[in-house]
Amino acid sequence: AQSVTQLGSHVSVSEGALVLLRCNYSSSVPPYLFWYVQYPNQGLQLLLKYTTGATLVKGINGFEAEFKKSETSFHLTKPSAHMSDAAEYFCAVSKAAGNKLTFGGGTRVLVKP
Amino acid sequence: NAGVTQTPKFRVLKTGQSMTLLCAQDMNHEYMYWYRQDPGMGLRLIHYSVGEGTTAKGEVPDGYNVSRLKKQNFLLGLESAAPSQTSVYFCASSRAPGTGSTDTQYFGPGTRLTVL
């Protein structure tokens, strides 16, 4: 069975500081990995995904994530936080294209002025 | 395109009542999903469908039923609501494998359900 662990249910950063959200997964087969963002009272929106190829993936709004197979990690970063980045972020894994997603517990990001 | 829409947005039920949540998508997606979101637990898959007329159980199916009579609609039913089903419910849809863009799931805005 697959599982996803997000370290830290809440993260507080200052505006302009680095955003780092950690995600570790377990999967018996090469995974597809995703980061979704959820703004207050809205559905989930895809930030970025890794399927095959380059392990550094760039997404929307200046976010990127790196797939590290040896560490079974897919951490999300953004060099400079903006107030609009305040949201909840979910890491997810699936076994293959079209397969079901398994989500982590989510990390809520607070951005301080 | 409206994408994925859900009705209703909010609902309050009493224990034992029944209700149906409707999900509709206009992207001609084959796959549709129902999730529930609870604090600290992320989203958990309730049921899913890989095509019209087919459904399958997800991670937490007990107490729920689904139907996919039309490709664009996916209904989630609660026959006898319980307080443990208080949650936010999300519907999602995606293309089938091998049809281009891989397996990005597109989510609706959610339905907030409270069972008293």
Side-chain angles (χ1 to χ4, degrees):
Chain A
Q2 300 169 112
S3 67
V4 178
T5 302
Q6 292 183 238
L7 291 177
S9 59
H10 292 79
V11 168
S12 180
V13 299
S14 297
E15 191 173 19
L18 171 72
V19 179
L20 169 61
L21 304 182
R22 300 179 186 274
C23 172
N24 288 88
Y25 68 90
S26 67
S27 177
S28 57
V29 298
Y32 284 24
L33 295 159
F34 306 80
W35 276 100
Y36 281 86
V37 60
Q38 183 181 32
Y39 298 103
N41 300 313
Q42 294 187 26
L44 277 70
Q45 177 184 357
L46 181 69
L47 267 181
L48 50 80
K49 62 183 176 184
Y50 168 81
T51 55
T52 59
T55 56
L56 182 61
V57 181
K58 294 187 185 299
I60 62 172
N61 301 337
F63 284 93
E64 64 181 34
E66 186 171 12
F67 168 55
K68 292 188 176 180
K69 185 178 178 180
S70 61
E71 299 177 7
T72 60
S73 69
F74 191 55
H75 301 331
L76 181 71
T77 60
K78 181 174 180 177
S80 178
H82 192 272
M83 296 299 291
S84 61
D85 295 326
E88 190 159 17
Y89 294 79
F90 293 93
C91 182
V93 62
S94 70
K95 287 183 185 178
N99 211 316
K100 304 178 291 295
L101 289 174
T102 299
F103 284 86
T107 298
R108 189 173 297 277
V109 173
L110 171 67
V111 182
K112 299 177 293 184
Chain B
N1 288 353
V4 180
T5 58
Q6 294 182 230
T7 52
K9 289 185 168 53
F10 303 93
R11 185 72 185 269
V12 178
L13 291 178
K14 294 181 180 178
T15 297
Q17 288 185 317
S18 64
M19 77 163 294
T20 301
L21 283 66
L22 171 63
C23 175
Q25 53 94 4
D26 61 2
M27 297 175 282
N28 201 34
H29 285 169
E30 288 292 334
Y31 286 23
M32 296 187 75
Y33 313 81
W34 275 108
Y35 294 90
R36 60 177 289 172
Q37 182 183 27
D38 302 292
M41 304 184 75
L43 279 74
R44 292 179 293 168
L45 183 65
I46 304 171
H47 287 280
Y48 65 101
S49 168
V50 299
E52 182 178 324
T54 69
T55 63
K57 294 180 180 180
E59 182 184 354
V60 288
D62 293 344
Y64 304 95
N65 56 75
V66 288
S67 63
R68 183 102 181 265
L69 299 180
K70 294 182 179 180
K71 185 178 183 179
Q72 64 268 33
N73 295 338
F74 195 29
L75 279 63
L76 177 71
L78 285 73
E79 291 185 346
S80 179
S84 61
Q85 295 177 304
T86 293
S87 187
V88 181
Y89 292 85
F90 287 98
C91 177
S93 70
S94 69
R95 294 180 181 176
T99 58
S101 178
T102 51
D103 53 317
T104 299
Q105 292 188 17
Y106 296 84
F107 285 80
T111 295
R112 187 173 296 274
L113 174 66
T114 301
V115 183
L116 302 176

